[in-house]
Amino acid sequence: MEKTFLMVKPDGVQRNLIGEVVSRFEKKGFQLVGAKLMQVSKELAEKHYEEHKDKPFFGELVDFITSGPVFAMVWEGENVIATARQMMGKTNPQEALGGTIRGDYGLSVGKNVIHGSDSKESAEREIGLFFNDDDILSYEKDA
Ligand code: CMP
């Protein structure tokens, strides 16, 4: 079964949107298999955003993601990587459709509430950066 890494960013945590975000993925039918409220270190932020290290906004990205607690999660389900990206909406909330998380709640390209892995490779890499193997559970849901 496919897994993805999702993270409520500091703006989402500050605005009490953890429950809203979790609820959307629960209701869609995906399964939460790992979660933690945590403070991202500068070192972890730089690794997480490695692919953006040459972009002019890299410093801002690292500063923002380390500015307050984030809620890091691992979700499991069929096609969860692509479906979660659809549910999140476009990176820029002004372009994201209503009904998506960023369309409904995002304020700016930086303060866009949620991060989600964009491919199988990123999902594996990001899950590995934020979670130990034994932080990820495997359990049957009855409903
Ligand atoms: P995320 O999915 O976390 O991955 C990279 C992030 O870079 C993206 O969400 C945006 O929040 C952020 N980003 C993209 N473009 C810009 C920009 N021009 N200025 C600041 N942040 C940006």
Side-chain angles (χ1 to χ4, degrees), residues 9 49 52 57 60-61 85 91 102 109-110 112 114-116:
K9 296 185 183 184
Y49 282 131
H52 301 294
F57 55 84
E60 254 176 73
L61 266 183
R85 298 275 299 182
T91 304
R102 287 163 168 170
V109 78
N112 63 358
I114 184 166
H115 167 86

Side-chain angles (χ1 to χ4, degrees), residues 22 62 85 98 142:
V22 168
V62 170
R85 298 275 299 182
D142 294 333

